[in-house]
Amino acid sequence: SAAQFGRSRRRSVAVAAPSPSMAEIHVCHAGTCRARGAEAVLAEIEELVSEVGGRCKVRQSGCLGYCNEAPNAIILERGARRLDPNNVFTRIRTLDASAKVVERATGKRPPLEGAGTSERLASLRAARARQHAISVSKWNTALHGLAEQAAVKPALRSELSTLLRKAGFPEGVRADRAGQAMPSAIANYSQWSLESVTPVTRHSALFAFSSSDLKRGTPHPRGRGRMAEPVTWHTTLLAEVGPNAEGPLPWVERDYTPVSSAKEWEQGRCEMLIKVYADGAATSWLHSASPQRVWLSRPERTLRVPGLVSEGRAFRPSSVLLLLAGTGAVALPQILAHRAPTAQLGISSPRRDQLHVPVDVVLSCREDDALLLPQLAGWCRESEEGGAGNERVAVNAVVRGVRSCTLLLTPAAAGGAAAAPFPTAPAGDAADAEGLLQGLPNARVVRARLSAPLVAEAWAQMAQPCRVVVSGPGGFNTAARAMLAEAGVDVEAHVTILSA
């Protein structure tokens, strides 16, 4: 089982290492891992493999499903049909952790005692993590520890000054950090007014924002001879929490995928479905502070369409299977929007990029936090009205809605409604789910967790080639990945995993 898989990979067991000539090291380069320094981990492992004269290949990969334990890597033995749990490495946050991956893959322990080796690779790791943060305009993350590094490495002072200026603090940040005011301008960010907060369940709400700032950008840059690229997208919200451990600035940075369309963003409107966590720095701030205005970044690409991959365009699916959990459900409306790009996105795209293929959904929610229920019911009805069946879609056919929807309801959170941030929310529970979905022939409500038989059943219904998108909390993603592999899915070729 997935639970057994998760436990077994943490055992300390004496097992034979892979044959060095038959092994490949795959380092996750999905968003969470890149933010935690995956690019540096890759470079570090490459150098350590070279140090021991190893012949195994080192390459980057898509999300491996261990988002809560980033950065991570796996060792694949060529020809092996299953991933050996002992070849999964998580929390690769030190040079010694990287060395253990190399030792497992090559059978040789890399020397770490060489002159300056540890310091040089630590500096490389910090630089790569900073470069990634800069590329996505996460200034607080980019500045983390940089002032201390610049104090001993004068060559970094110019970069420190540049980043502080981009973050809106050209004169620097106050030494005590307490009471540090927000700047008047931040590079690649614009201010949005919080217009309303509409609870949709006891734990989640729809936050509606508006902006007239033209610097807000667009999810689909175009013009001057440039064609719009079809993508799904997200934005970064700055939560003004004050002093924090993530960097020297008075905010933390969190990515959110809007449920409103790209066209609405361009018109200055944005809606986000956000679950409020008691221990979540950003969401608890949003809920308790009720800010009148927030800073949102220019849109960043999440996936390319139609392949639904972070990089590359060659894959064109004949069907799409979505395995979603919790607020991972927000991936669905953005994907479906590409079937009507002019109306939903405000762009034109070639028909071959419009995802007119069957889309099946398995969504797992707590029974007191069932999300997007009215929308799911509407998408199921659209599919029925369009007559979408199980057969391969004909060329030029117009496909609407969701072909099949399975809503999995898991037990409610401990503490009941009184402990919830929106205790009087009128909807989003099990009764609401059953009332909206049970009468639809292509929808079902099941009180169960995601399971290997259910994943295998869903996969068997998909026309090939199929793209599977997994989006949920780290534990769900890890379990879903293992279940897909157990069902015989080539995870590297067919599966995209997003952290929600």
Side-chain angles (χ1 to χ4, degrees):
S1 72
Q4 291 169 334
F5 178 87
R7 288 195 295 272
S8 65
R9 68 187 177 85
R10 289 177 174 79
R11 294 182 191 144
S12 178
V13 185
V15 292
S19 169
S21 62
M22 300 294 288
E24 290 187 355
I25 301 173
H26 292 220
V27 181
C28 178
H29 268 53
T32 304
C33 281
R34 290 186 69 193
R36 298 278 180 88
E39 291 173 316
V41 172
L42 178 69
E44 208 168 73
I45 289 176
E46 284 178 332
E47 181 150 343
L48 292 174
V49 167
S50 177
E51 287 280 336
V52 299
R55 291 174 291 165
C56 69
K57 294 183 179 179
V58 183
R59 58 183 290 255
Q60 66 183 51
S61 76
C63 183
L64 299 175
Y66 307 102
C67 308
N68 288 348
E69 301 174 281
N72 50 69
I74 59 174
I75 300 171
L76 293 182
E77 301 174 60
R78 294 177 205 169
R81 301 191 62 178
R82 291 178 180 270
L83 174 64
D84 183 344
N86 294 285
N87 290 343
V88 177
F89 293 82
T90 59
R91 300 179 184 271
I92 308 174
R93 300 175 184 174
T94 64
L95 179 60
D96 185 64
S98 293
K100 288 178 180 177
V101 179
V102 175
E103 182 177 14
R104 171 71 181 164
T106 66
K108 300 177 182 178
R109 176 70 178 178
L112 303 181
E113 296 76 26
T117 298
S118 180
E119 294 78 6
R120 176 170 51 83
L121 291 178
S123 178
L124 172 65
R125 180 183 287 253
R128 291 290 180 90
R130 186 163 63 249
Q131 288 165 9
H132 174 67
I134 292 169
S135 73
V136 291
S137 303
K138 292 185 175 177
W139 311 124
N140 194 36
T141 303
L143 283 161
H144 179 70
L146 185 57
E148 292 77 7
Q149 295 170 44
V152 296
K153 293 184 178 179
L156 292 174
R157 291 174 185 170
S158 176
E159 184 175 9
L160 173 63
S161 177
T162 297
L163 289 178
L164 285 169
R165 186 170 62 254
K166 288 180 178 292
F169 296 96
E171 305 302 321
V173 180
R174 288 172 44 171
D176 61 4
R177 296 174 59 190
Q180 177 74 62
M182 291 293 287
S184 58
I186 304 172
N188 297 334
Y189 285 80
S190 56
Q191 285 197 304
W192 291 67
S193 298
L194 178 57
E195 300 291 349
S196 63
V197 179
T198 306
V200 295
T201 73
R202 292 171 183 149
H203 299 272
S204 304
L206 196 65
F207 288 74
F209 303 94
S210 67
S211 176
S212 58
D213 189 342
L214 297 179
K215 295 194 296 293
R216 63 182 178 272
T218 171
H220 303 287
R222 55 199 183 275
R224 296 184 179 178
R226 180 182 182 182
M227 297 293 293
E229 178 189 10
V231 299
T232 67
W233 54 284
H234 62 274
T235 182
T236 301
L237 179 145
L238 305 185
E240 302 167 25
V241 300
N244 61 87
E246 297 180 17
L249 306 180
W251 64 70
V252 294
E253 298 145 345
R254 297 292 184 269
D255 294 339
Y256 291 99
T257 297
V259 293
S260 52
S261 70
K263 188 173 183 177
E264 289 173 300
W265 177 280
E266 293 182 350
Q267 295 169 343
R269 303 193 306 276
C270 176
E271 292 184 340
M272 298 181 195
L273 182 59
I274 298 176
K275 181 174 182 176
V276 175
Y277 295 91
D279 58 350
T283 60
S284 58
W285 171 77
L286 268 176
H287 178 55
S288 60
S290 299
Q292 293 184 342
R293 297 175 72 81
V294 301
W295 292 89
L296 298 180
S297 74
R298 292 177 180 173
E300 291 281 347
R301 183 186 72 222
T302 306
L303 300 175
R304 297 183 188 274
V305 176
L308 299 178
V309 291
S310 57
E311 299 293 341
R313 303 173 184 236
F315 191 95
R316 294 190 180 278
S318 294
S319 64
V320 174
L321 173 60
L322 304 178
L323 303 181
L324 311 174
T327 53
V330 298
L332 179 54
Q334 282 212 9
I335 289 171
L336 294 180
H338 284 271
R339 289 176 170 171
T342 302
Q344 295 290 320
L345 309 177
I347 64 171
S348 61
S349 62
R351 184 174 181 80
R352 65 181 182 275
D353 292 342
Q354 292 181 14
L355 280 177
H356 287 291
V357 300
V359 174
D360 289 5
V361 178
V362 178
L363 172 60
S364 177
C365 293
R366 289 199 323 231
E367 61 183 3
D368 61 344
D369 194 32
L371 301 173
L372 295 180
L373 292 178
Q375 294 88 341
L376 281 171
W379 291 321
C380 287
R381 291 191 191 95
E382 279 183 15
S383 179
E384 282 297 295
E385 293 165 1
N390 290 330
E391 68 280 357
R392 183 180 293 270
V393 175
V395 176
N396 294 327
V398 175
V399 182
R400 297 186 178 90
V402 169
R403 184 182 67 170
S404 171
C405 174
T406 298
L407 177 64
L408 303 176
L409 294 180
T410 60
F422 308 107
T424 61
D429 57 13
D432 194 29
E434 291 167 349
L436 285 167
L437 298 178
Q438 286 286 41
L440 298 172
N442 57 343
R444 58 176 175 167
V445 179
V446 182
R447 291 178 180 268
R449 297 185 183 278
L450 190 71
S451 65
L454 194 151
V455 169
E457 175 192 358
W459 174 252
Q461 301 300 314
M462 309 310 296
Q464 298 299 324
C466 172
R467 168 61 62 192
V468 183
V469 177
V470 179
S471 182
F476 176 88
N477 290 355
T478 302
R481 188 184 195 279
M483 293 172 192
L484 286 162
E486 185 177 335
V489 181
D490 184 338
V491 175
E492 282 292 311
H494 291 275
V495 180
T496 297
I497 303 180
L498 303 173
S499 178

